[in-house]
Amino acid sequence: MVAEPILLDRHRPPPTQPPPAQPPPVLPLLDWTTLADAFETACLLRCMPPPAAPGQRLARLPAQTGRAATIEFNREEAARRTRQLLDRLGIPVRHERAVGGLRRRYELHRLDVPREHRAAYLTLVENGWHRGRRELLGGPLPGASTVRRLRRTGLAAAAWRAALLAGGRHVRRHILGVRITDRELAAVLVRGAALLDVPAMLRAGTGCYLVSVAHGRDRDRILQHAGAQTAQRPVA
C-alpha cells in the first residue's frame, strides 16, 4: 500500500480575518450642570424594570434598547422629575397619564420624545450615564479641585434622588432601601452613598438588588442630599 504524497506547496486560501473593531463613539463633552441633569435622567430610566418582551415597556436606558423614545413610569413624581430634567436639557416631551385596573387601580405615566429630538435625547442620556458613572466609580483624581469634589457629591445625590423617586422603596424600622434591577446602578448607589459619608449595604435578591442605609443619621443624610421633594414624599 503506497501512501499518497502530501502536497506542501498546495495553494491554500488565506485565513479569514475578522473585521477591524470599531472604535467607541466619541461623545461630546458636557458642562457640569448638563452632566448632572443628563446623569440623573439616565438613573431614573435605569430604575425601571427591563421590558418583558420586545415591543412592550421601553423604560430602560436608551443606549441599551436603541429605540426607547417612549418612557413609562408608574409614579407621577418620577415622571414629573424626568420631564423637568428633559426640559432643562432642551428636549421636549409629551406626558400622558393612563389609569387602569379594577379592584386595584394604578396609574401609568408615559413620556414620549418627538421623533426630531430623539437623536439628541439618546446622545445626551448615554453621554450623561457613561461620564457620570465614570466620575463616581473612577475614584478621586490626584490633585482634584474642591469644586470637582463637590460636583461628584452632586452626582451621588442625583443618583439617590432618582432611585428614591423611581425605584422600589423598601422602608423598614431599621433601614431605608431601594430595589432596582440594574446592577451598574446598584454599584453607583453604593459608591454614591460613600461619597455622601454614608455606608450602604448591597444585597442581591430574586431579579433585583436591594441597596439600603441604616435608619437614623445615615437615612437623614441621604434624604437631605436627595432633596426635600423626596424626603417629604409619603411612603406607600
Side-chain angles (χ1 to χ4, degrees):
M1 180 176 181
V2 180
E4 294 183 0
I6 300 176
L7 301 179
L8 299 179
D9 58 346
R10 177 182 299 169
H11 174 72
R12 299 167 184 255
T16 304
Q17 296 293 331
Q22 296 294 328
V26 178
L27 298 174
L29 292 176
L30 301 177
D31 61 81
W32 279 105
T33 301
T34 303
L35 172 59
D37 288 346
F39 178 67
E40 185 175 344
T41 302
C43 291
L44 282 161
L45 301 185
R46 281 183 172 261
C47 285
M48 301 304 295
Q56 293 185 4
R57 297 183 60 177
L58 303 177
R60 293 282 290 196
L61 182 69
Q64 294 182 347
T65 64
R67 55 199 171 104
T70 299
I71 314 159
E72 293 181 353
F73 292 102
N74 54 12
R75 295 179 182 174
E76 184 178 2
E77 304 96 322
R80 289 186 179 276
R81 179 60 177 169
T82 304
R83 182 178 179 180
Q84 179 187 32
L85 292 168
L86 291 176
D87 181 67
R88 295 205 303 229
L89 291 169
I91 305 296
V93 65
R94 183 172 64 251
H95 183 180
E96 297 178 349
R97 172 178 172 270
V99 179
L102 296 176
R103 296 183 61 183
R104 300 188 62 179
R105 308 289 287 177
Y106 66 89
E107 290 186 358
L108 183 65
H109 296 267
R110 180 179 293 109
L111 303 179
D112 185 67
V113 178
R115 183 180 302 275
E116 62 272 19
H117 294 277
R118 291 177 185 176
Y121 159 71
L122 297 176
T123 300
L124 274 171
V125 176
E126 179 183 6
N127 195 353
W129 168 253
H130 287 295
R131 296 192 184 279
R133 176 182 177 275
R134 185 174 61 188
E135 284 287 337
L136 291 181
L137 300 184
L141 297 176
S145 65
T146 303
V147 173
R148 184 162 192 171
R149 290 194 294 269
L150 291 175
R151 297 293 189 182
R152 295 176 73 235
T153 300
L155 292 176
W160 271 96
R161 180 162 50 248
L164 290 169
L165 285 175
R169 292 285 291 268
H170 184 84
V171 181
R172 295 294 183 268
R173 293 182 61 182
H174 61 292
I175 65 168
L176 167 67
V178 288
R179 288 192 184 97
I180 52 178
T181 59
D182 190 280
R183 181 175 59 183
E184 292 188 4
L185 178 58
V188 163
L189 291 175
V190 173
R191 177 58 181 162
L195 289 174
L196 300 176
D197 295 326
V198 176
M201 297 291 295
L202 173 62
R203 187 175 67 189
T206 303
C208 70
Y209 299 89
L210 174 63
V211 184
S212 62
V213 299
H215 186 76
R217 170 193 171 276
D218 294 343
R219 171 187 178 275
D220 294 342
R221 190 170 180 85
I222 288 292
L223 293 178
Q224 177 185 3
H225 280 282
Q229 60 175 327
T230 303
Q232 296 174 1
R233 188 170 72 90
V235 177

